[in-house]
């Protein structure tokens, strides 16, 4: 399958690349070192429409397709993954979840603020004892008639300290198991919402990751998303789309590291010639380019499936798993190409290597993606549904 980008998509890609190089790259090393939240950079992302790319224009968004979002994520992730993860959560999880499954009142109230960056959102699923196993929610929401009372703890929450709105998964009927889980829109200035200390992370250090505590928080009945018991399905559907964003982030990390390694190898000389002329380095570059191109096709394909309203669950898991492994593998190689210079912050590749690791963990670890993929395989799901449909039309 060949993906020929439209003029609009190419314009989005160029705008994101220019923004990343001119607005994000200056100061990115200092922000990472100081764990400084990119307040001004996030504000500008909102102004440029990067925080509500797929939101309908009637709610203040860009009304763009998933492919355009992936292209922007890729370019921004080549430079600053703290900014791209903020962008990913706000777009893929919060805005998309509310617009796809929320009521008209919920969309009208919250999406204009989220799409423009006036508010930043957070997706609150993980708990101290319910990370990969999302069915084991200890956070509870007790139905009090016209409102719910929310109690519990969520951890590893991206945008936890700066968000104005949380999408919180909570158990309302333990006897029903995962069918008793609901999702609630919680405004963070509600009484009983407490923000824990910022996590000191290996990578994406200037994004804010916190533990959130909810103590007797009153949530209006109208802030529940979907019918009673819809929360687990909401989380799984939203995360499936979110994996496309994280796959694009991983792709950007790998691509950014490759570009840095390629440029450095052309400038650095050893034994009388540029190191790119030495076979040991040239072969590394060839392997990097090949695997990044393969990852790109997988990521773009998952976005294409989503845009064409086809089943993308397995494709997004494959793209996320493979792209994150490529990012980890080739950021290490980029450091190696740089030699000793790769080990210092000035050359950016050590930061990309640290950032790459998280793409193998959040939105479900690589092991979880293998569970999703294998389950689809065992159910008879073919990897190429468009080919499958063509075969069925021909009676094969």
């Amino acid at each position: 399958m060949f993906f020929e980008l439209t003029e609009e998509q190419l314009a989005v890609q160029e705008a994101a690349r220019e923004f990343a190089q001119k607005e994000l790259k200056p100061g990115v090393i200092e922000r990472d070192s100081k764990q400084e939240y990119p307040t001004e950079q996030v504000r500008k992302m909102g102004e440029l429409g990067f925080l509500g790319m797929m939101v309908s224009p009637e709610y203040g968004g860009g009304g763009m397709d998933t492919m355009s979002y992936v292209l922007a994520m890729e370019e921004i992730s080549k430079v600053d993954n703290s900014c791209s993860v903020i962008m990913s959560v706000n777009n893929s999880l919060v805005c998309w979840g509310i617009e796809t499954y929320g009521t008209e009142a919920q969309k009208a109230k919250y999406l204009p603020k989220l799409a423009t960056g006036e508010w930043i959102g957070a997706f609150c699923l993980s708990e101290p004892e319910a990370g990969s196993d999302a069915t084991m929610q200890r956070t509870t929401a007790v139905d009090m008639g016209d409102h719910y009372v929310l109690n519990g703890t969520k951890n590893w929450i991206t945008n936890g300290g700066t968000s104005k709105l949380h999408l919180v998964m909570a158990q309302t009927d333990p006897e029903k198991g995962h069918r008793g889980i609901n999702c609630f829109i919680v405004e963070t200035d509600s009484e009983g919402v407490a923000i824990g200390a910022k996590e000191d992370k290996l990578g994406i250090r200037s994004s804010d990751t916190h533990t959130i505590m909810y103590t007797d928080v009153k949530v209006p009945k109208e802030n529940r998303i979907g019918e009673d018991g819809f929360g687990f399905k909401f989380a799984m559907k939203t995360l499936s789309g979110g994996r496309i964003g994280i796959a694009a982030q991983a792709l950007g990390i790998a691509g950014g590291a490759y570009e840095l390694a390629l440029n450095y190898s052309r400038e650095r000389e050893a034994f009388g010639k540029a190191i790119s002329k030495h076979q040991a380095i040239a072969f590394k570059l060839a392997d990097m380019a090949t695997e990044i191109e393969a990852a790109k096709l997988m990521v773009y394909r998952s976005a294409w499936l989503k845009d064409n309203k086809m089943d993308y669950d397995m494709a997004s898991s494959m793209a996320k798993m493979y792209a994150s492994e490529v990012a980890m593998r080739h950021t290490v190689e980029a450091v190696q190409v740089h030699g000793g210079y790769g080990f210092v912050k000035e050359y950016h590749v050590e930061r990309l290597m640290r950032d790459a690791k998280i793409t193998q963990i959040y939105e479900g670890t690589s092991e979880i993606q293998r569970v999703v993929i294998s389950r689809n395989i065992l159910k008879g799901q073919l990897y190429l549904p468009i080919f499958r449909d063509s075969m069925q039309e021909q009676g094969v």
Side-chain angles (χ1 to χ4, degrees), residues 144-184:
M144 303 299 289
D146 63 341
H147 68 276
Y148 290 89
V149 174
L150 185 70
N151 283 279
T153 300
K154 299 291 184 178
N155 62 351
W156 314 120
I157 305 304
T158 300
N159 300 340
T162 53
S163 51
K164 298 294 185 181
L165 176 150
H166 294 169
L167 296 185
V168 184
M169 264 38 75
Q171 181 64 256
T172 56
D173 190 342
E175 293 184 0
K176 292 183 179 179
H178 71 277
R179 292 183 177 84
I181 295 173
N182 278 293
C183 176
F184 301 95

mmCIF file of all heavy atoms in Angstrom, residues 144-184:
data_model
loop_
_atom_site.group_PDB
_atom_site.id
_atom_site.type_symbol
_atom_site.label_atom_id
_atom_site.label_comp_id
_atom_site.label_asym_id
_atom_site.label_seq_id
_atom_site.Cartn_x
_atom_site.Cartn_y
_atom_site.Cartn_z
ATOM 1 N N MET A 144 -25.346 8.279 44.179
ATOM 2 C CA MET A 144 -26.098 8.942 45.243
ATOM 3 C C MET A 144 -27.384 9.569 44.721
ATOM 4 O O MET A 144 -27.964 10.426 45.364
ATOM 5 C CB MET A 144 -25.221 10.006 45.906
ATOM 6 C CG MET A 144 -23.920 9.481 46.475
ATOM 7 S SD MET A 144 -24.150 8.238 47.775
ATOM 8 C CE MET A 144 -24.769 9.271 49.103
ATOM 9 N N GLY A 145 -27.821 9.139 43.539
ATOM 10 C CA GLY A 145 -29.055 9.685 42.978
ATOM 11 C C GLY A 145 -28.789 10.694 41.890
ATOM 12 O O GLY A 145 -28.812 10.365 40.705
ATOM 13 N N ASP A 146 -28.501 11.945 42.284
ATOM 14 C CA ASP A 146 -28.228 12.969 41.282
ATOM 15 C C ASP A 146 -26.733 13.172 41.058
ATOM 16 O O ASP A 146 -26.325 13.987 40.228
ATOM 17 C CB ASP A 146 -28.867 14.303 41.681
ATOM 18 C CG ASP A 146 -28.277 14.860 42.975
ATOM 19 O OD1 ASP A 146 -27.660 14.083 43.735
ATOM 20 O OD2 ASP A 146 -28.446 16.068 43.216
ATOM 21 N N HIS A 147 -25.901 12.451 41.809
ATOM 22 C CA HIS A 147 -24.453 12.548 41.644
ATOM 23 C C HIS A 147 -23.786 11.265 42.124
ATOM 24 O O HIS A 147 -24.414 10.404 42.748
ATOM 25 C CB HIS A 147 -23.891 13.752 42.394
ATOM 26 C CG HIS A 147 -23.973 13.616 43.897
ATOM 27 N ND1 HIS A 147 -25.117 13.935 44.606
ATOM 28 C CD2 HIS A 147 -23.059 13.195 44.823
ATOM 29 C CE1 HIS A 147 -24.900 13.727 45.897
ATOM 30 N NE2 HIS A 147 -23.666 13.262 46.050
ATOM 31 N N TYR A 148 -22.510 11.136 41.792
ATOM 32 C CA TYR A 148 -21.683 10.032 42.293
ATOM 33 C C TYR A 148 -20.669 10.594 43.285
ATOM 34 O O TYR A 148 -20.270 11.763 43.201
ATOM 35 C CB TYR A 148 -20.914 9.362 41.153
ATOM 36 C CG TYR A 148 -21.761 8.561 40.188
ATOM 37 C CD1 TYR A 148 -22.338 9.162 39.074
ATOM 38 C CD2 TYR A 148 -21.956 7.194 40.376
ATOM 39 C CE1 TYR A 148 -23.098 8.431 38.177
ATOM 40 C CE2 TYR A 148 -22.715 6.452 39.474
ATOM 41 C CZ TYR A 148 -23.283 7.076 38.382
ATOM 42 O OH TYR A 148 -24.030 6.345 37.487
ATOM 43 N N VAL A 149 -20.233 9.743 44.211
ATOM 44 C CA VAL A 149 -19.153 10.112 45.125
ATOM 45 C C VAL A 149 -17.947 9.253 44.772
ATOM 46 O O VAL A 149 -17.996 8.025 44.857
ATOM 47 C CB VAL A 149 -19.552 9.918 46.601
ATOM 48 C CG1 VAL A 149 -18.345 10.175 47.507
ATOM 49 C CG2 VAL A 149 -20.700 10.860 46.957
ATOM 50 N N LEU A 150 -16.886 9.922 44.376
ATOM 51 C CA LEU A 150 -15.693 9.265 43.836
ATOM 52 C C LEU A 150 -14.592 9.184 44.879
ATOM 53 O O LEU A 150 -14.253 10.177 45.522
ATOM 54 C CB LEU A 150 -15.206 10.066 42.618
ATOM 55 C CG LEU A 150 -14.048 9.532 41.785
ATOM 56 C CD1 LEU A 150 -14.478 8.297 41.001
ATOM 57 C CD2 LEU A 150 -13.573 10.627 40.814
ATOM 58 N N ASN A 151 -14.003 7.983 45.043
ATOM 59 C CA ASN A 151 -12.879 7.783 45.952
ATOM 60 C C ASN A 151 -11.865 6.842 45.310
ATOM 61 O O ASN A 151 -12.248 5.815 44.727
ATOM 62 C CB ASN A 151 -13.337 7.172 47.283
ATOM 63 C CG ASN A 151 -13.997 8.186 48.197
ATOM 64 O OD1 ASN A 151 -13.327 8.948 48.878
ATOM 65 N ND2 ASN A 151 -15.330 8.195 48.193
ATOM 66 N N GLY A 152 -10.595 7.190 45.437
ATOM 67 C CA GLY A 152 -9.571 6.300 44.905
ATOM 68 C C GLY A 152 -8.303 7.038 44.534
ATOM 69 O O GLY A 152 -8.175 8.255 44.742
ATOM 70 N N THR A 153 -7.358 6.278 43.977
ATOM 71 C CA THR A 153 -6.051 6.813 43.603
ATOM 72 C C THR A 153 -5.689 6.366 42.193
ATOM 73 O O THR A 153 -5.858 5.195 41.849
ATOM 74 C CB THR A 153 -4.958 6.330 44.579
ATOM 75 O OG1 THR A 153 -5.275 6.770 45.898
ATOM 76 C CG2 THR A 153 -3.588 6.865 44.184
ATOM 77 N N LYS A 154 -5.203 7.296 41.395
ATOM 78 C CA LYS A 154 -4.705 7.004 40.054
ATOM 79 C C LYS A 154 -3.239 7.413 39.980
ATOM 80 O O LYS A 154 -2.854 8.449 40.530
ATOM 81 C CB LYS A 154 -5.503 7.785 38.997
ATOM 82 C CG LYS A 154 -6.989 7.442 38.966
ATOM 83 C CD LYS A 154 -7.243 6.038 38.449
ATOM 84 C CE LYS A 154 -8.725 5.742 38.339
ATOM 85 N NZ LYS A 154 -8.997 4.389 37.798
ATOM 86 N N ASN A 155 -2.447 6.595 39.302
ATOM 87 C CA ASN A 155 -1.037 6.984 39.185
ATOM 88 C C ASN A 155 -0.549 6.926 37.742
ATOM 89 O O ASN A 155 -1.246 6.448 36.854
ATOM 90 C CB ASN A 155 -0.136 6.148 40.099
ATOM 91 C CG ASN A 155 -0.160 4.671 39.779
ATOM 92 O OD1 ASN A 155 -0.966 4.206 38.985
ATOM 93 N ND2 ASN A 155 0.740 3.926 40.394
ATOM 94 N N TRP A 156 0.665 7.478 37.546
ATOM 95 C CA TRP A 156 1.289 7.621 36.223
ATOM 96 C C TRP A 156 0.414 8.480 35.292
ATOM 97 O O TRP A 156 0.272 8.181 34.115
ATOM 98 C CB TRP A 156 1.563 6.258 35.566
ATOM 99 C CG TRP A 156 2.182 5.241 36.459
ATOM 100 C CD1 TRP A 156 1.676 4.029 36.808
ATOM 101 C CD2 TRP A 156 3.441 5.358 37.141
ATOM 102 N NE1 TRP A 156 2.536 3.375 37.668
ATOM 103 C CE2 TRP A 156 3.629 4.169 37.882
ATOM 104 C CE3 TRP A 156 4.426 6.342 37.200
ATOM 105 C CZ2 TRP A 156 4.756 3.935 38.670
ATOM 106 C CZ3 TRP A 156 5.553 6.112 37.985
ATOM 107 C CH2 TRP A 156 5.701 4.921 38.703
ATOM 108 N N ILE A 157 -0.162 9.540 35.835
ATOM 109 C CA ILE A 157 -1.093 10.347 35.050
ATOM 110 C C ILE A 157 -0.347 11.484 34.351
ATOM 111 O O ILE A 157 0.107 12.441 34.986
ATOM 112 C CB ILE A 157 -2.225 10.909 35.932
ATOM 113 C CG1 ILE A 157 -2.941 9.765 36.674
ATOM 114 C CG2 ILE A 157 -3.193 11.717 35.084
ATOM 115 C CD1 ILE A 157 -3.496 8.679 35.776
ATOM 116 N N THR A 158 -0.245 11.370 33.031
ATOM 117 C CA THR A 158 0.336 12.432 32.214
ATOM 118 C C THR A 158 -0.590 13.643 32.238
ATOM 119 O O THR A 158 -1.813 13.501 32.172
ATOM 120 C CB THR A 158 0.525 11.949 30.770
ATOM 121 O OG1 THR A 158 1.400 10.823 30.752
ATOM 122 C CG2 THR A 158 1.112 13.040 29.895
ATOM 123 N N ASN A 159 -0.007 14.825 32.345
ATOM 124 C CA ASN A 159 -0.743 16.094 32.488
ATOM 125 C C ASN A 159 -1.428 16.185 33.853
ATOM 126 O O ASN A 159 -2.310 17.023 34.054
ATOM 127 C CB ASN A 159 -1.803 16.277 31.386
ATOM 128 C CG ASN A 159 -1.211 16.282 29.991
ATOM 129 O OD1 ASN A 159 -0.024 16.523 29.817
ATOM 130 N ND2 ASN A 159 -2.036 15.997 28.997
ATOM 131 N N GLY A 160 -0.999 15.352 34.783
ATOM 132 C CA GLY A 160 -1.665 15.294 36.083
ATOM 133 C C GLY A 160 -1.639 16.590 36.863
ATOM 134 O O GLY A 160 -2.595 16.913 37.561
ATOM 135 N N GLY A 161 -0.576 17.353 36.747
ATOM 136 C CA GLY A 161 -0.460 18.573 37.538
ATOM 137 C C GLY A 161 -0.983 19.810 36.863
ATOM 138 O O GLY A 161 -1.243 20.822 37.514
ATOM 139 N N THR A 162 -1.154 19.771 35.543
ATOM 140 C CA THR A 162 -1.560 20.965 34.800
ATOM 141 C C THR A 162 -2.958 20.864 34.205
ATOM 142 O O THR A 162 -3.510 21.861 33.754
ATOM 143 C CB THR A 162 -0.562 21.235 33.650
ATOM 144 O OG1 THR A 162 -0.428 20.037 32.874
ATOM 145 C CG2 THR A 162 0.795 21.640 34.186
ATOM 146 N N SER A 163 -3.523 19.674 34.203
ATOM 147 C CA SER A 163 -4.822 19.473 33.564
ATOM 148 C C SER A 163 -5.948 20.117 34.363
ATOM 149 O O SER A 163 -5.899 20.217 35.583
ATOM 150 C CB SER A 163 -5.101 17.980 33.397
ATOM 151 O OG SER A 163 -4.916 17.293 34.612
ATOM 152 N N LYS A 164 -6.971 20.539 33.639
ATOM 153 C CA LYS A 164 -8.177 21.102 34.238
ATOM 154 C C LYS A 164 -9.326 20.103 34.217
ATOM 155 O O LYS A 164 -10.378 20.345 34.813
ATOM 156 C CB LYS A 164 -8.596 22.363 33.482
ATOM 157 C CG LYS A 164 -7.572 23.489 33.523
ATOM 158 C CD LYS A 164 -7.400 24.030 34.933
ATOM 159 C CE LYS A 164 -6.470 25.242 34.919
ATOM 160 N NZ LYS A 164 -6.258 25.768 36.295
ATOM 161 N N LEU A 165 -9.120 18.993 33.522
ATOM 162 C CA LEU A 165 -10.173 18.000 33.367
ATOM 163 C C LEU A 165 -9.566 16.607 33.359
ATOM 164 O O LEU A 165 -8.540 16.371 32.718
ATOM 165 C CB LEU A 165 -10.931 18.264 32.058
ATOM 166 C CG LEU A 165 -12.025 17.292 31.637
ATOM 167 C CD1 LEU A 165 -13.100 18.039 30.834
ATOM 168 C CD2 LEU A 165 -11.468 16.155 30.778
ATOM 169 N N HIS A 166 -10.192 15.696 34.106
ATOM 170 C CA HIS A 166 -9.765 14.299 34.127
ATOM 171 C C HIS A 166 -10.885 13.406 33.595
ATOM 172 O O HIS A 166 -12.055 13.623 33.915
ATOM 173 C CB HIS A 166 -9.446 13.843 35.560
ATOM 174 C CG HIS A 166 -8.275 14.517 36.172
ATOM 175 N ND1 HIS A 166 -7.964 14.398 37.512
ATOM 176 C CD2 HIS A 166 -7.310 15.317 35.644
ATOM 177 C CE1 HIS A 166 -6.878 15.097 37.783
ATOM 178 N NE2 HIS A 166 -6.458 15.662 36.659
ATOM 179 N N LEU A 167 -10.518 12.422 32.796
ATOM 180 C CA LEU A 167 -11.430 11.321 32.481
ATOM 181 C C LEU A 167 -11.048 10.184 33.416
ATOM 182 O O LEU A 167 -9.972 9.597 33.284
ATOM 183 C CB LEU A 167 -11.293 10.893 31.016
ATOM 184 C CG LEU A 167 -11.685 11.916 29.952
ATOM 185 C CD1 LEU A 167 -11.612 11.282 28.566
ATOM 186 C CD2 LEU A 167 -13.071 12.494 30.196
ATOM 187 N N VAL A 168 -11.924 9.884 34.373
ATOM 188 C CA VAL A 168 -11.597 8.947 35.447
ATOM 189 C C VAL A 168 -12.423 7.665 35.312
ATOM 190 O O VAL A 168 -13.654 7.710 35.280
ATOM 191 C CB VAL A 168 -11.867 9.579 36.835
ATOM 192 C CG1 VAL A 168 -11.435 8.629 37.947
ATOM 193 C CG2 VAL A 168 -11.137 10.920 36.964
ATOM 194 N N MET A 169 -11.717 6.538 35.251
ATOM 195 C CA MET A 169 -12.372 5.237 35.254
ATOM 196 C C MET A 169 -12.572 4.790 36.700
ATOM 197 O O MET A 169 -11.642 4.840 37.508
ATOM 198 C CB MET A 169 -11.520 4.200 34.520
ATOM 199 C CG MET A 169 -11.860 3.958 33.067
ATOM 200 S SD MET A 169 -12.355 5.371 32.061
ATOM 201 C CE MET A 169 -10.815 6.207 31.780
ATOM 202 N N ALA A 170 -13.806 4.359 37.032
ATOM 203 C CA ALA A 170 -14.097 3.958 38.409
ATOM 204 C C ALA A 170 -15.134 2.837 38.419
ATOM 205 O O ALA A 170 -15.978 2.731 37.523
ATOM 206 C CB ALA A 170 -14.609 5.153 39.213
ATOM 207 N N GLN A 171 -15.054 2.019 39.457
ATOM 208 C CA GLN A 171 -15.961 0.882 39.625
ATOM 209 C C GLN A 171 -17.224 1.352 40.355
ATOM 210 O O GLN A 171 -17.150 1.907 41.438
ATOM 211 C CB GLN A 171 -15.267 -0.208 40.438
ATOM 212 C CG GLN A 171 -16.070 -1.461 40.677
ATOM 213 C CD GLN A 171 -16.391 -2.206 39.391
ATOM 214 O OE1 GLN A 171 -17.516 -2.138 38.916
ATOM 215 N NE2 GLN A 171 -15.406 -2.903 38.844
ATOM 216 N N THR A 172 -18.375 1.127 39.730
ATOM 217 C CA THR A 172 -19.638 1.506 40.357
ATOM 218 C C THR A 172 -20.426 0.299 40.850
ATOM 219 O O THR A 172 -21.320 0.445 41.683
ATOM 220 C CB THR A 172 -20.518 2.311 39.384
ATOM 221 O OG1 THR A 172 -20.723 1.542 38.196
ATOM 222 C CG2 THR A 172 -19.853 3.630 39.025
ATOM 223 N N ASP A 173 -20.106 -0.880 40.320
ATOM 224 C CA ASP A 173 -20.801 -2.098 40.739
ATOM 225 C C ASP A 173 -19.821 -3.259 40.701
ATOM 226 O O ASP A 173 -19.684 -3.943 39.677
ATOM 227 C CB ASP A 173 -21.999 -2.371 39.825
ATOM 228 C CG ASP A 173 -22.901 -3.481 40.363
ATOM 229 O OD1 ASP A 173 -22.442 -4.248 41.233
ATOM 230 O OD2 ASP A 173 -24.052 -3.586 39.914
ATOM 231 N N PRO A 174 -19.124 -3.525 41.824
ATOM 232 C CA PRO A 174 -18.094 -4.572 41.852
ATOM 233 C C PRO A 174 -18.600 -5.952 41.442
ATOM 234 O O PRO A 174 -17.841 -6.749 40.884
ATOM 235 C CB PRO A 174 -17.634 -4.567 43.316
ATOM 236 C CG PRO A 174 -17.963 -3.192 43.812
ATOM 237 C CD PRO A 174 -19.221 -2.815 43.111
ATOM 238 N N GLU A 175 -19.873 -6.242 41.705
ATOM 239 C CA GLU A 175 -20.406 -7.561 41.368
ATOM 240 C C GLU A 175 -20.441 -7.798 39.857
ATOM 241 O O GLU A 175 -20.441 -8.944 39.402
ATOM 242 C CB GLU A 175 -21.809 -7.725 41.960
ATOM 243 C CG GLU A 175 -21.829 -7.776 43.487
ATOM 244 C CD GLU A 175 -23.218 -8.035 44.024
ATOM 245 O OE1 GLU A 175 -24.158 -8.173 43.198
ATOM 246 O OE2 GLU A 175 -23.367 -8.099 45.264
ATOM 247 N N LYS A 176 -20.456 -6.718 39.085
ATOM 248 C CA LYS A 176 -20.487 -6.860 37.623
ATOM 249 C C LYS A 176 -19.099 -6.919 36.996
ATOM 250 O O LYS A 176 -18.972 -7.057 35.782
ATOM 251 C CB LYS A 176 -21.267 -5.682 37.014
ATOM 252 C CG LYS A 176 -22.747 -5.694 37.335
ATOM 253 C CD LYS A 176 -23.449 -4.527 36.637
ATOM 254 C CE LYS A 176 -24.941 -4.529 36.927
ATOM 255 N NZ LYS A 176 -25.626 -3.375 36.275
ATOM 256 N N GLY A 177 -18.052 -6.816 37.810
ATOM 257 C CA GLY A 177 -16.700 -6.852 37.262
ATOM 258 C C GLY A 177 -16.452 -5.690 36.322
ATOM 259 O O GLY A 177 -16.830 -4.552 36.604
ATOM 260 N N HIS A 178 -15.836 -5.981 35.157
ATOM 261 C CA HIS A 178 -15.507 -4.889 34.238
ATOM 262 C C HIS A 178 -16.762 -4.253 33.639
ATOM 263 O O HIS A 178 -16.708 -3.115 33.167
ATOM 264 C CB HIS A 178 -14.577 -5.384 33.128
ATOM 265 C CG HIS A 178 -15.214 -6.285 32.124
ATOM 266 N ND1 HIS A 178 -15.374 -7.636 32.325
ATOM 267 C CD2 HIS A 178 -15.755 -6.012 30.904
ATOM 268 C CE1 HIS A 178 -15.962 -8.166 31.271
ATOM 269 N NE2 HIS A 178 -16.211 -7.206 30.399
ATOM 270 N N ARG A 179 -17.897 -4.935 33.701
ATOM 271 C CA ARG A 179 -19.144 -4.349 33.204
ATOM 272 C C ARG A 179 -19.746 -3.347 34.199
ATOM 273 O O ARG A 179 -20.749 -2.710 33.899
ATOM 274 C CB ARG A 179 -20.152 -5.450 32.883
ATOM 275 C CG ARG A 179 -19.753 -6.309 31.687
ATOM 276 C CD ARG A 179 -20.818 -7.347 31.358
ATOM 277 N NE ARG A 179 -20.475 -8.114 30.170
ATOM 278 C CZ ARG A 179 -19.691 -9.179 30.152
ATOM 279 N NH1 ARG A 179 -19.159 -9.622 31.298
ATOM 280 N NH2 ARG A 179 -19.420 -9.817 29.023
ATOM 281 N N GLY A 180 -19.130 -3.246 35.349
ATOM 282 C CA GLY A 180 -19.584 -2.277 36.339
ATOM 283 C C GLY A 180 -18.697 -1.043 36.406
ATOM 284 O O GLY A 180 -18.814 -0.232 37.324
ATOM 285 N N ILE A 181 -17.802 -0.882 35.417
ATOM 286 C CA ILE A 181 -16.894 0.266 35.379
ATOM 287 C C ILE A 181 -17.520 1.393 34.560
ATOM 288 O O ILE A 181 -18.141 1.155 33.527
ATOM 289 C CB ILE A 181 -15.531 -0.140 34.777
ATOM 290 C CG1 ILE A 181 -14.833 -1.153 35.691
ATOM 291 C CG2 ILE A 181 -14.639 1.086 34.560
ATOM 292 C CD1 ILE A 181 -13.571 -1.746 35.104
ATOM 293 N N ASN A 182 -17.359 2.623 35.038
ATOM 294 C CA ASN A 182 -17.830 3.801 34.320
ATOM 295 C C ASN A 182 -16.710 4.816 34.170
ATOM 296 O O ASN A 182 -15.699 4.771 34.900
ATOM 297 C CB ASN A 182 -19.016 4.445 35.045
ATOM 298 C CG ASN A 182 -20.331 3.748 34.726
ATOM 299 O OD1 ASN A 182 -20.802 3.798 33.597
ATOM 300 N ND2 ASN A 182 -20.903 3.078 35.713
ATOM 301 N N CYS A 183 -16.882 5.721 33.214
ATOM 302 C CA CYS A 183 -15.935 6.820 33.028
ATOM 303 C C CYS A 183 -16.631 8.132 33.372
ATOM 304 O O CYS A 183 -17.772 8.372 32.943
ATOM 305 C CB CYS A 183 -15.434 6.865 31.584
ATOM 306 S SG CYS A 183 -14.339 8.276 31.259
ATOM 307 N N PHE A 184 -15.939 8.973 34.137
ATOM 308 C CA PHE A 184 -16.509 10.243 34.584
ATOM 309 C C PHE A 184 -15.613 11.415 34.193
ATOM 310 O O PHE A 184 -14.381 11.317 34.258
ATOM 311 C CB PHE A 184 -16.673 10.237 36.106
ATOM 312 C CG PHE A 184 -17.561 9.143 36.614
ATOM 313 C CD1 PHE A 184 -17.024 7.939 37.049
ATOM 314 C CD2 PHE A 184 -18.934 9.294 36.634
ATOM 315 C CE1 PHE A 184 -17.836 6.912 37.507
ATOM 316 C CE2 PHE A 184 -19.761 8.277 37.084
ATOM 317 C CZ PHE A 184 -19.208 7.086 37.521
#
